Amino acid sequence: MTLNGWLQILVFCGIVLVLVKPLGAYMTRVFSGERTILSPVLVPIERGLYALAGTSERESQHWTAYAFALLMFNLFGTLVLYLLLRFQDILPLNPAGMAAVPPELSFNTAVSFVSNTNWQNYGGESTMSYLTQMAGFTVQNFLSAATGMAIAIGLIRAFSGASGTSGTVGLSGKKTIGNFWVDMARGTLYVLLPACILLTLVYVWLGVPQTFGPYVEATTIEGARQTIAVGPVASQLAIKMLGTNGGGFFNANSAHPFENPDNISNMIQMVSIFAIGAAFTNVFGRMVGNQRQGWAILAAMGLLFITGVGVVYWAEASGNPFMHQLGLMGGNMEGKETRFGIAMSSLFAVITTAASCGAVNAMHGSFTALGGLIPLINMQLGEVIVGGVGAGFYGIVLFIIIAIFVAGLMVGRTPEYLGKKIEAKEMKMAVLAILCLPLAMLIFTAIATVLPSAVASIGTAGPHGFSEILYAYTSAAANNGSAFGGLTGNTPWYNVTLGLSMLMGRFLVIIPALAIAGSLIAKKTVPASAGTFPTDGPLFVGLLVGTILIVGGLTFMPALALGPVVEHLVMIAGQTF
Amino acid sequence: MSQSKSASIMDSRILVPAVGAAFAKLDPRTLSRNPVMFVVATVSVLTTVLFLRDLILGGENLGFSLQINIWLWFTVLFANFAEAVAEGRGKAQAESLRRTRTETQAKLLTGSDRTQYKQVPGTSLKVNDVVLVEAGDIIPSDGEVIEGVASVNEAAITGESAPVIRESGGDRSAVTGGTQVLSDWIRVRITAAAGSTFIDRMISLVEGAERQKTPNEIALNILLAGMTLIFVLATATIPSFASYAGGSIPIIVLVALFVTLIPTTIGALLSAIGIAGMDRLVRFNVLAMSGRAVEAAGDVDTLLLDKTGTITLGNRQATSFRPVRGVSEQDLADAAQLASLADETPEGRSIVVLAKEQYAIRGRDMAGLKATFVPFTAQTRMSGVDLDGSQIRKGAVDAVLSYVEPGAPALAGNAMIAARPQSDVVGELQAIAEEIAKAGSTPLAVARDGKLLGVIQLKDIVKGGIRERFAELRRMGIRTVMITGDNPMTAAAIAAEAGVDDFLAQATPENKLSLIREEQAKGKLVAMCGDGTNDAPALAQADVGVAMNTGTVAAREAGNMVDLDSDPTKLIEIVEIGKQLLMTRGALTTFSIANDIAKYFAIIPAMFLAFYPQLGVLNIMGLATPQSAILSAIIFNALIIIALIPLSLRGVKYRAVGAGALLSRNLLIYGLGGILVPFIGIKAIDVVITAIGLA
């Protein structure tokens, strides 16, 4: 580890923290329907969209209607993307003449992009047409991100009591959590689109290609002919990071020089992964009328994050004792780009797995065992360390509900968070949502590790191979999308089961989260008093971290022990695989 | 049932039957009420069958699996035992109650004028029957006095042997079946059929027969069931992971890991905690009609407290004599003492005491004075004495003024007064009276022969220590509101002196009810106590309504708790008991979940050691062998239940220090403690079982 490395890590944290307040303030205005600097341009477009959808800003939906709209919209999106993939050979904007994508891979890919996972069982530049990349992937990158934001906003309203629109007020309090279409439109138009336009221009300036032209033919100095893949990369790159999607234009993702030219583009990419997710804690604080509540949540996330970065950076910088015996001193550079080095590769790996992004600038499978352990844990905790846009926030709220429920009793009151009582209904939904992750991650891994055809896909024997399978299902269920390398995922078995994991990890969390929002919004807010559990101080931060690690993490102890942990111990003992 | 008679946890009269009950509770129908223990019992059956199979067909490590099996069953039995001990304490109380429910004969009044009666068995009475109860009779069932006055011994339910007065009309008209009339007679209209009387309900409540899960318990059970499912996934997937690594794990080891990981500690003690909470109330002589009410007590945000008897001593006391100008204090004291000699009210007696202590005015020979006493009536609102042709009156200021004003003959006993116009004196007296009222006291005017002498100050004495009590409540986040019939001025003064947060003056049942509704509309939970029929709507509206046992039937029906001692101060203790119940539940849940870390460190290296010997470094406790490690973990898991029974019955101590401080303290003890204790415990057990050669 070097001082320079830590300074870069600190710079990253500093930029993210500086962005939290202004972005939080802006997003709060956007989702509350207040006027913003962009309103003169966007309000007419917004109105037009509502007219087209047959809805109005004044309409507010019950959580079931909100969830139904969300599910239908996502189902429709999946179908469109599936058809685009299946028929890309006969559709326009296909200068490289890509063939139609086979059914299982199309299913996997469609689900992958709609669920904000962006798991890629294909190589982008060798499989997908420009139309698929732009009208299919980039569109879903926007929409899946906006979907996550909409859910988070719906849940925040449950605590703040605002309905987002001038919605109907029931007898026993508000019943509606906002309008899905309005939240989607605002998230996309006011937050994602403007930021992405800006970021695209910056990336182009930094040298990322943005063209509809065909691949470039080149002759090397040795005289060999080479095809250099280009395309509308910059625009997809912008949303891939900002929307925590992670699906690369190129197979090498952000390790590819066209997708991540230098350290500046690398820093911008890392910051844009965290920007919206971190700002959501501030949106929450503002909407519930106490920004400290938001900072407390961010502090818990930050604590877990910095610990993770420390471990990975230390593990990678320490390197491999075998190499040291051979006289190759220094850290582990296998699978890393020299232009980023160990510090920025370690940081990137922790960010991308903490935040449900899945973009990579180094090969996680080549990390040391402990270096690979942290990304796995980050995802297994449900990606609540900042997390995916919106998704990270509603994920951590589920843990907050559990934490408050368990420990909140210890102040001598039935549990309540921000004045809302946590009762059987909320508990049922939170448990359901938290249960679905180990279900998808562990059960599929358990089947795959004894299924000969599935085991055949792994690239390395022993515990590392086990980690490859575990990582694949973990990444899919957590909607991350990063891969551990080595594993050949494009088989019918993996295409289908990984697709199912993605669906479970996405929608079996979303529905309970919205149900909690619907239940909480109808409840009276109990005013805070000296007897109320304080949720804006270090005590709460510690409690939340403890709950996340124990409730979210302990489930995976046996699996982790048999994967990265044993791999590390075996490596120390002098055996490799 | 006095507070002191609390059955000790170590009482063999409770422990011995509880052992039997622990086995009886293995009935699947009983077990299924508790999801966690039901799961443990189910897997124990499974491993027992496997063990028997191995025993017959021959298998390896029979001693080890036998021990695991035994400890698995102990885990279930210990949980049952905890519940049985908690129930046992209530059962002992129910037993003493049952003895009072002996067969009684009732004198059922018959005929249209209800002058005749016939002897019928008490159990045959129906609601609305009218019975006659005379001195020495046992009241046959719950009812309301419709005629007569009698002294009643209610020791059967309150444990208090001093008789109480029960009379028709007013707030003391309710009688309870099983209590005994000591003198006089009453006619009672029966309000409860046989089997649903107050004592019947008390018995079923303290026995826990009607115990239903409270909302918070249900939610907690959902979490515990969810965590059990999560650990099903964690353990059920291990064999497949192990087979990938080329190893295999015996089922008995997987079951041991599973049972130690699921929250058995809290699962085992949850119902004991709930029963103990109700029991703590019973020992305070408070009966909660539902566990929900006890939970709500912990959540109370606003306490409505009656001034009289709760905040102030029941009676006002004379604290000073304030004569008008020209009258000496001695004169006023003398007149006041004379007027009060025959006044048996506490206020009257306090005037005599004050006159004696401060002005050395002794008691007099009443017969020698040829005095005629004029008693207090609601019409005159005055009392006094006529002697030697002189009339002394004392009473409410306006009453005395209107007694003095109309054509008072100027029989001047004192020239100074005669010289002054009467209205001047009236003005002065009113000024004094107002000053006294502002200070929170009650003015009592005194006049002799139509001349105003001055005012007696009757002061509400605020109970000692009550101010500190309210400060404590404030730190708990609870707002106190004083309810009084006094005028706002007096109320404000007493409120300030007692340190309550707010007050409701000139309270009527209506504005009491609307105050509760107002607070509830703000999302607050309200507790109050009351006894009169007109308190019933407010008692029913309040989240915690404590009815006084002396109160009317309507009040007792409306409230969700009954205080057998009729002591309104108890509301504060009730809140603390509610908080204690919730805290105990939270503390043990936290402890239970935090325990898992150590158990993983015990079992995971032991489980995988055969095919990944390197994982031995995770054996940070240095447990002797894989078998001893697994055995130690499961023994710890079972024994911790027994070890925590006293805590779950006694409850975690509540301290009024504010939520933040309370939470950090409890998190330190039960969170951090929950992480560390099993490391020490498992290691200790490992040392012991290795030493005696069990593993």
Side-chain angles (χ1 to χ4, degrees), chain A residues 553-562 565, chain B residues 596-597 600-601 604 608 618:
Chain A
L554 279 188
T555 326
F556 299 98
M557 273 275 278
L560 291 174
L562 292 177
V565 173
Chain B
D596 279 358
I597 297 176
Y600 263 127
F601 276 101
I604 285 195
F608 299 138
L618 292 183

Side-chain angles (χ1 to χ4, degrees), chain A residues 18-354:
Chain A
V18 164
L19 284 175
V20 165
K21 277 190 95 159
L23 249 178
Y26 175 72
M27 280 161 58
T28 307
R29 292 187 74 82
V30 167
F31 287 108
S32 309
E34 289 167 32
R35 253 191 101 71
T36 64
I37 192 164
L38 296 172
S39 296
V41 188
L42 295 175
V43 165
I45 305 176
E46 213 190 326
R47 296 259 160 83
L49 282 174
Y50 301 151
L52 213 65
T55 184
S56 135
E57 304 165 69
R58 284 180 295 282
E59 233 173 80
S60 188
Q61 295 166 313
H62 187 261
W63 82 264
T64 46
Y66 198 98
F68 183 73
L70 185 149
L71 288 177
M72 286 304 112
F73 186 72
N74 277 276
L75 180 66
F76 180 74
T78 314
L79 284 176
V80 168
L81 184 51
Y82 180 81
L83 293 175
L84 263 178
L85 289 160
R86 299 286 293 126
F87 296 108
Q88 70 167 355
D89 54 332
I90 52 171
L91 289 166
L93 273 178
N94 186 9
M98 300 297 181
V101 182
E104 292 94 5
L105 183 58
S106 295
F107 162 74
N108 183 286
T109 307
V111 166
S112 175
F113 276 81
V114 170
S115 64
N116 197 266
T117 311
N118 297 25
W119 174 271
Q120 292 165 298
N121 267 344
Y122 61 86
E125 63 272 46
S126 58
T127 323
M128 300 302 171
S129 75
Y130 289 172
L131 183 76
T132 309
Q133 296 261 27
M134 286 174 64
F137 297 164
T138 307
V139 165
Q140 279 308 325
N141 279 349
F142 275 96
L143 297 181
S144 65
T147 301
M149 290 163 77
I151 299 153
I153 286 293
L155 193 55
I156 291 174
R157 286 193 191 114
F159 290 103
S160 73
S163 63
T165 58
S166 44
T168 42
V169 177
L171 275 178
S172 58
K174 294 191 178 68
K175 298 270 193 203
T176 59
I177 59 168
N179 186 322
F180 173 70
W181 308 109
V182 173
D183 289 340
M184 281 296 284
R186 290 200 177 134
T188 313
L189 289 176
Y190 288 84
V191 182
L192 297 175
L193 263 178
C196 283
I197 291 172
L198 209 69
L199 283 168
T200 304
L201 292 174
V202 173
Y203 289 136
V204 169
W205 168 61
L206 287 169
V208 177
Q210 178 74 11
T211 173
F212 283 144
Y215 292 172
V216 178
E217 296 285 329
T219 313
T220 63
I221 303 167
E222 291 156 358
R225 292 194 62 79
Q226 189 184 7
T227 305
I228 299 173
V230 291
V233 185
S235 57
Q236 193 182 322
L237 177 62
I239 186 64
K240 156 190 140 185
M241 294 303 179
L242 197 70
T244 60
N245 295 286
F249 191 92
F250 299 111
N251 194 25
N253 212 303
S254 283
H256 193 293
F258 283 177
E259 207 161 322
N260 194 359
D262 55 23
N263 257 316
I264 296 175
S265 69
N266 191 53
M267 182 61 80
I268 295 173
Q269 293 191 18
M270 291 192 296
V271 169
S272 52
I273 295 175
F274 263 13
I276 294 180
F280 249 102
T281 60
N282 190 253
V283 173
F284 175 69
R286 283 173 195 271
M287 284 195 168
V288 301
N290 177 6
Q291 290 193 44
R292 284 177 56 94
Q293 300 286 354
W295 289 116
I297 297 176
L298 190 60
M301 294 170 163
L303 214 61
L304 289 165
F305 173 70
I306 284 297
T307 312
V309 173
V311 172
V312 176
Y313 187 22
W314 167 79
E316 295 308 304
S318 307
N320 187 327
F322 288 110
M323 298 298 192
H324 299 169
Q325 280 162 25
L326 295 173
L328 294 167
M329 301 316 283
N332 172 30
M333 275 301 288
E334 182 192 316
K336 293 187 181 64
E337 291 289 304
T338 44
R339 64 184 186 283
F340 304 132
I342 290 175
M344 287 303 99
S345 300
S346 305
L347 180 63
F348 200 108
V350 179
I351 295 170
T352 196
T353 49

Side-chain angles (χ1 to χ4, degrees), chain A residues 286-428:
Chain A
R286 283 173 195 271
M287 284 195 168
V288 301
N290 177 6
Q291 290 193 44
R292 284 177 56 94
Q293 300 286 354
W295 289 116
I297 297 176
L298 190 60
M301 294 170 163
L303 214 61
L304 289 165
F305 173 70
I306 284 297
T307 312
V309 173
V311 172
V312 176
Y313 187 22
W314 167 79
E316 295 308 304
S318 307
N320 187 327
F322 288 110
M323 298 298 192
H324 299 169
Q325 280 162 25
L326 295 173
L328 294 167
M329 301 316 283
N332 172 30
M333 275 301 288
E334 182 192 316
K336 293 187 181 64
E337 291 289 304
T338 44
R339 64 184 186 283
F340 304 132
I342 290 175
M344 287 303 99
S345 300
S346 305
L347 180 63
F348 200 108
V350 179
I351 295 170
T352 196
T353 49
S356 184
C357 182
V360 291
N361 75 349
M363 295 304 119
H364 293 184
S366 300
F367 275 30
T368 58
L370 293 184
L373 172 74
I374 296 296
L376 257 176
I377 293 178
N378 277 346
M379 294 186 285
Q380 285 165 344
L381 295 180
E383 292 178 339
V384 293
I385 307 166
V386 179
V389 282
F393 184 78
Y394 62 73
I396 204 160
V397 167
L398 296 171
F399 277 113
I400 290 174
I401 286 176
I402 305 262
I404 291 276
F405 187 83
V406 171
L409 283 169
M410 285 197 291
V411 301
R413 290 173 70 91
T414 56
E416 64 201 10
Y417 183 51
L418 297 170
K420 298 284 187 177
K421 286 273 175 219
I422 309 297
E423 290 165 307
K425 171 96 186 276
E426 290 75 34
M427 214 57 231
K428 208 180 291 174

Side-chain angles (χ1 to χ4, degrees), chain A residues 410 412-414 446 449 462 527 530 554, chain B residues 240 244 298-299 301 522 600 659 666:
Chain A
M410 285 197 291
R413 290 173 70 91
T414 56
T449 45
L554 279 188
Chain B
S240 149
Y244 170 89
D299 278 352
D301 300 286
K522 287 186 240 161
Y600 263 127
N666 285 331

